[in-house]
C-alpha cells in the first residue's frame, strides 16, 4: 500500500519518529547523568603510579561503582560504561541532538580533538534530508563492523564471519562455485585456482592408493592433470608479468628516478631475468636445480 511504512501511514510514522527522538534524547540525558554521577563518585584515574598493571579499574574503584550500580538498580557493567563515556565527553562537547549510544561509539576515537570534531560532522543521510548520525555510520568512522553491510567489503566481511567454521565455509564455497560467473572470477585468482587444483590432486591420489597395477590408468591421468596445471600456471605467470608491464611502462615516460631507485629496479629486473632463465632451463632441458649464485640472486642477496 502506497504511503505506508510498516502498518502505519507515512504521517503517523513521521509523528512516531519525532516522539522517538524526544524519548531517545530524554534517555540519553539520564545516561549522561548516571555517568557523571559515577565519575563524581570515582573520577577516572590515569595509568601507572600505584597501578602499574595498566588497568584503570582498581579494586576500590570497581567496588564503589558496583555499589552505586546495585543501589540504583543497574548492572555494574552498564554504569561502568556510562562513567567511561562521560569521561570521554566533557559536557561542553556533548551534542543534545546525538544519542548517548553514538557518543559511546565515537568515544573510541583516540585523539581528543578528532573525537570532538567528528561528532559535529555527521555523514550524509542515505535516505536524503539533513545529515544525521546512525549506529552504522558511527561504526564506520571508528572501523567497527556494521550491523547492516552496504559496501562490497562490508558484505564480504559479514560472510567471512558467518562462515568461520570450515564446514560452513565449504558449503558456501561449493554453492557459490556452482554459479558460472563466480567460478570464472574465482579461477582468475592464481591463489584460489592453485588451491582448487591441489585439492583435486589430493582427492585423486587418495582414490588411487589401492595398488600400482590397478591404479596405472588413474596414475597416468593424475600425471596429465599435474602437467596441465603446471603448464597453465607457467602461462599465467608469463601473461601476468607481460600485462602488468604493458600497463605500467607506458606511464613511466618523463618520470625522474634517483640513483637508489634505479638500482632497486635494476636489482629486481636481474631477479626477473634469472627467474625467466630458470623457467626456460626447466622447460627445455628439464633442469630445475638452483646453483648457489642463482639462489642468492633470487633471494636478493646476489650481485
Amino acid at each position: 500500500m502506497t504511503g505506508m511504512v510498516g502498518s502505519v501511514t507515512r504521517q503517523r510514522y513521521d509523528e512516531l519518529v519525532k516522539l522517538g527522538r524526544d524519548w531517545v534524547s530524554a534517555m540519553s540525558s539520564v545516561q549522561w547523568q548516571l555517568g557523571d554521577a559515577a565519575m563524581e563518585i570515582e573520577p577516572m584515574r590515569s595509568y601507572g603510579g600505584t597501578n602499574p598493571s595498566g588497568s584503570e579499574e582498581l579494586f576500590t574503584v570497581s567496588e564503589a561503582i558496583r555499589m552505586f550500580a546495585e543501589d540504583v538498580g543497574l548492572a555494574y557493567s552498564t554504569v561502568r560504561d556510562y562513567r567511561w563515556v562521560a569521561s570521554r565527553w566533557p559536557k561542553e562537547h556533548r551534542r543534545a541532538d546525538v544519542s548517548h549510544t553514538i557518543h559511546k561509539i565515537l568515544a573510541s576515537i583516540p585523539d581528543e580533538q578528532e573525537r570532538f570534531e567528528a561528532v559535529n560532522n555527521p555523514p550524509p543521510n542515505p535516505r536524503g534530508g539533513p545529515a544525521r548520525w546512525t549506529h552504522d555510520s558511527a561504526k564506520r568512522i571508528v572501523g567497527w563492523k556494521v550491523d547492516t553491510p552496504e559496501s562490497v567489503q562490508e558484505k564480504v566481511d559479514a560472510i567471512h564471519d558467518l562462515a568461520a567454521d570450515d564446514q560452513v565455509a565449504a558449503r558456501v564455497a561449493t554453492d557459490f562455485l556452482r554459479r558460472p560467473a563466480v567460478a570464472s572470477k574465482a579461477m582468475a585468482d592464481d591463489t584460489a585456482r592453485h588451491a582448487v587444483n591441489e585439492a583435486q590432486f589430493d582427492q585423486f591420489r587418495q582414490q588411487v592408493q589401492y595398488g600400482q597395477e590397478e591404479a596405472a590408468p588413474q596414475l597416468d591421468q593424475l600425471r596429465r592433470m599435474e602437467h596441465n596445471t603446471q603448464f597453465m600456471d607457467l602461462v599465467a605467470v608469463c601473461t601476468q608479468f607481460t600485462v602488468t608491464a604493458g600497463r605500467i611502462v607506458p606511464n613511466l615516460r618523463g618520470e625522474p628516478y634517483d640513483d637508489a631507485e634505479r638500482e632497486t629496479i635494476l636489482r629486481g629486473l636481474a631477479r626477473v631475468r634469472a627467474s625467466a632463465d630458470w623457467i626456460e632451463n626447466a622447460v627445455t632441458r628439464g633442469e630445475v636445480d638452483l646453483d648457489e649464485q642463482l639462489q642468492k640472486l633470487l633471494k636478493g642477496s646476489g650481485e
Side-chain angles (χ1 to χ4, degrees), residues 147-162:
D147 298 326
T148 305
E150 292 181 359
S151 69
V152 172
Q153 187 57 52
E154 287 174 353
K155 293 175 181 179
V156 169
D157 291 340
I159 291 173
H160 276 289
D161 289 341
L162 292 172

Side-chain angles (χ1 to χ4, degrees), residues 3-297:
M4 301 292 290
V5 179
S7 299
V8 299
T9 64
R10 182 71 203 196
Q11 180 180 354
R12 178 55 179 162
Y13 174 81
D14 291 339
E15 292 172 354
L16 291 173
V17 167
K18 185 178 183 304
L19 287 171
R21 288 175 180 168
D22 292 340
W23 298 333
V24 169
S25 179
M27 181 172 62
S28 294
S29 176
V30 172
Q31 291 170 312
W32 285 123
Q33 292 177 60
L34 287 165
D36 290 337
M39 279 276 290
E40 183 178 347
I41 295 169
E42 283 292 354
M44 300 298 287
R45 306 188 186 191
S46 59
Y47 298 154
T50 59
N51 184 27
S53 68
S55 173
E56 190 277 334
E57 290 290 354
L58 299 171
F59 176 75
T60 54
V61 173
S62 62
E63 284 302 302
I65 300 302
R66 192 179 303 277
M67 181 185 301
F68 177 63
E70 291 175 353
D71 286 343
V72 300
L74 291 174
Y76 162 70
S77 59
T78 299
V79 176
R80 182 189 59 195
D81 287 348
Y82 291 168
R83 171 175 171 262
W84 178 75
V85 175
S87 74
R88 304 285 282 178
W89 295 98
K91 291 182 180 180
E92 63 271 20
H93 291 289
R94 300 172 188 174
R95 288 284 301 265
D97 59 340
V98 177
S99 72
H100 185 273
T101 300
I102 300 299
H103 280 87
K104 178 180 178 180
I105 296 172
L106 297 179
S108 64
I109 298 176
D111 182 77
E112 189 176 75
Q113 194 59 40
E114 182 182 347
R115 188 188 323 138
F116 297 157
E117 290 177 0
V119 75
N120 292 317
N121 294 282
N125 191 329
R127 294 199 300 270
R132 180 179 294 276
W133 283 108
T134 66
H135 203 245
D136 277 348
S137 64
K139 285 186 173 183
R140 289 188 181 97
I141 292 294
V142 299
W144 293 1
K145 291 180 180 177
V146 298
D147 298 326
T148 305
E150 292 181 359
S151 69
V152 172
Q153 187 57 52
E154 287 174 353
K155 293 175 181 179
V156 169
D157 291 340
I159 291 173
H160 276 289
D161 289 341
L162 292 172
D165 180 85
D166 284 348
Q167 289 186 338
V168 175
R171 176 66 180 272
V172 170
T174 301
D175 290 345
F176 284 169
L177 287 173
R178 291 194 179 105
R179 293 155 61 172
V182 174
S184 176
K185 290 183 178 179
M187 291 304 98
D189 182 274
D190 292 339
T191 303
R193 185 180 65 253
H194 182 73
V196 170
N197 289 338
E198 283 297 312
Q200 288 179 318
F201 293 152
D202 288 341
Q203 285 195 349
F204 202 80
R205 290 187 188 102
Q206 293 173 12
Q207 294 173 4
V208 297
Q209 292 297 320
Y210 53 85
Q212 289 292 107
E213 239 178 78
E214 297 180 9
Q218 288 86 349
L219 288 171
D220 288 340
Q221 183 180 351
L222 177 60
R223 281 191 287 270
R224 286 196 300 273
M225 288 174 61
E226 290 176 329
H227 174 82
N228 291 339
T229 300
Q230 291 166 355
F231 170 75
M232 292 302 298
D233 284 343
L234 286 173
V235 171
V237 167
C238 297
T239 302
Q240 184 176 6
F241 177 81
T242 304
V243 170
T244 304
R247 175 174 54 84
I248 295 175
V249 174
N251 297 321
L252 300 182
R253 182 177 300 168
E255 289 290 336
Y257 291 94
D258 59 33
D259 292 342
E261 290 173 331
R262 280 194 297 272
E263 182 62 27
T264 299
I265 294 173
L266 291 176
R267 283 199 302 268
L269 289 174
R271 289 195 291 273
V272 170
R273 292 190 186 95
S275 298
D277 290 341
W278 184 27
I279 293 173
E280 183 176 354
N281 285 333
V283 172
T284 59
R285 302 183 182 89
E287 299 173 0
V288 296
D289 294 333
L290 288 170
D291 59 36
E292 184 177 351
Q293 186 63 25
L294 183 57
Q295 285 181 337
K296 290 181 178 181
L297 186 60

